[in-house]
Amino acid sequence: MSALARKALNALTLSYDTDESKMPPHVLLAHQNYTTTLPDPSVLTPPEGSKVLLHSCCAPCSGAMIHEMSRMGLDVSVLFYNPNIHPYAEYLIRKEENVKFCEKLSIPFIDLDNGKDYDQKKWFALAKGMEGDAERGNRCTMCFDMRMTRTAAYAKENGFDVIATTNATSRWKDTEQVDGTAQAAADRFGLEYWRGAWKSDRLTLLKYQISAGERFYKQEYCGCSYSLRDSNLWREKEGIGKIKIGGEEAGLGSRRVTD
């Protein structure tokens, strides 16, 4: 394990109640699997020392992946390129939290922001005609493709061997849709795309453990303006308050991940 990977791993403190008698069955199983010394066997590991460029949508989704990659002795850098996130206030919250998390772990953070526009105008242009698409539809495919193509291009230009994305950790996303666009981008630039079991019970538990330990900002929607719109429409039907951007109060539940 490299010194950088060890430093990142040591900086991740997992704080949760380890009393197994209080754990629901699915949490108990994931906890017992986590306490093994080996990484998840279903995650295919690049050779130790490989340079991995991890595209990150936010700090909460990056925690478990950074943890696992550090355990494996890999040289990980985080890249932030997310022109889909709207409004700008939400974009800044997610980016700045990701910056602070990487600084804490001494993980290199690559910001492809080109100013206040951050390629959002380009994203909206590509989304034209797909404004009404449902989650996991063609608009999402376009969104993944745009971000992963930019990630792969940067990786190729800067000597990375492998790319990965935190989009693959979300159980709200279609695995084949995420992996398919990322694989196509990797193939286009002659890179390896890391397909892993990032949604396993074990790694999902780890993801939330880290998020609670860090008290990350709890996001209330995927990120794009159409997700914000559709989430608020659903909330209105259910009699739930609208999504709140920033601040110390969320529209639903707590503002920070605590459990």
Side-chain angles (χ1 to χ4, degrees):
M1 180 181 293
S2 70
L4 187 62
R6 188 175 300 280
K7 187 173 182 180
L9 191 58
N10 290 339
L12 280 167
T13 302
L14 303 180
S15 55
Y16 67 102
D17 188 351
T18 56
D19 184 349
E20 296 187 356
S21 66
K22 298 179 181 179
M23 294 182 182
H26 67 287
V27 174
L28 176 61
L29 178 62
H31 167 72
Q32 291 173 338
N33 287 339
Y34 173 72
T35 55
T36 63
T37 58
L38 296 175
D40 194 311
S42 59
V43 176
L44 300 178
T45 312
E48 184 170 351
S50 294
K51 287 188 67 178
V52 179
L53 185 60
L54 174 62
H55 166 266
S56 177
C57 60
C58 60
C61 288
S62 70
M65 294 185 76
I66 290 175
H67 186 279
E68 290 301 281
M69 292 175 184
S70 297
R71 295 178 90 197
M72 297 172 189
L74 302 173
D75 182 0
V76 184
S77 294
V78 167
L79 179 142
F80 195 87
Y81 179 69
N82 298 288
N84 57 307
I85 301 176
H86 177 88
Y88 188 58
E90 180 79 8
Y91 173 83
L92 287 179
I93 290 168
R94 298 190 190 191
K95 183 174 78 168
E96 289 170 3
E97 187 169 62
N98 218 159
V99 170
K100 290 178 182 178
F101 184 53
C102 286
E103 286 177 347
K104 175 181 178 179
L105 305 183
S106 297
I107 294 288
F109 184 87
I110 300 156
D111 181 7
L112 295 189
D113 194 339
N114 64 352
K116 192 170 182 179
D117 176 52
Y118 61 98
D119 275 355
Q120 192 179 57
K121 290 180 181 177
K122 181 179 178 182
W123 187 90
F124 274 111
L126 290 171
K128 190 172 183 179
M130 297 182 280
E131 296 89 343
D133 283 11
E135 177 76 18
R136 301 188 179 193
N138 290 333
R139 188 181 67 240
C140 290
T141 299
M142 175 280 295
C143 186
F144 296 140
D145 181 67
M146 179 182 182
R147 289 184 284 165
M148 293 314 298
T149 296
R150 187 70 185 87
T151 299
Y154 184 93
K156 183 67 174 181
E157 293 164 3
N158 291 275
F160 287 89
D161 310 301
V162 182
I163 61 171
T165 177
T166 60
N167 290 319
T169 71
S170 174
R171 294 191 175 191
W172 296 102
K173 301 301 179 187
D174 182 276
T175 301
E176 290 305 313
Q177 189 177 39
V178 172
D179 286 344
T181 54
Q183 186 67 63
D187 291 345
R188 202 174 306 151
F189 290 91
L191 301 168
E192 179 182 347
Y193 170 62
W194 191 351
R195 288 176 179 254
W198 304 115
K199 296 182 187 181
S200 69
D201 285 345
R202 173 182 172 275
L203 293 182
T204 298
L205 176 62
L206 175 59
K207 171 182 171 180
Y208 287 115
Q209 288 167 1
I210 293 173
S211 292
E214 299 292 331
R215 289 184 57 81
F216 283 142
Y217 172 80
K218 187 183 289 182
Q219 302 157 17
E220 299 190 71
Y221 64 106
C222 176
C224 79
S225 65
Y226 307 116
S227 169
L228 176 60
R229 174 200 65 195
D230 293 343
S231 296
N232 276 329
L233 286 173
W234 177 83
R235 287 185 177 207
E236 185 178 3
K237 291 179 182 177
E238 297 296 318
I240 300 171
K242 285 188 175 182
I243 290 167
K244 293 183 178 180
I245 306 297
E248 290 307 311
E249 291 186 4
L252 177 66
S254 61
R255 177 78 286 172
R256 302 282 167 180
V257 181
T258 58
D259 187 352

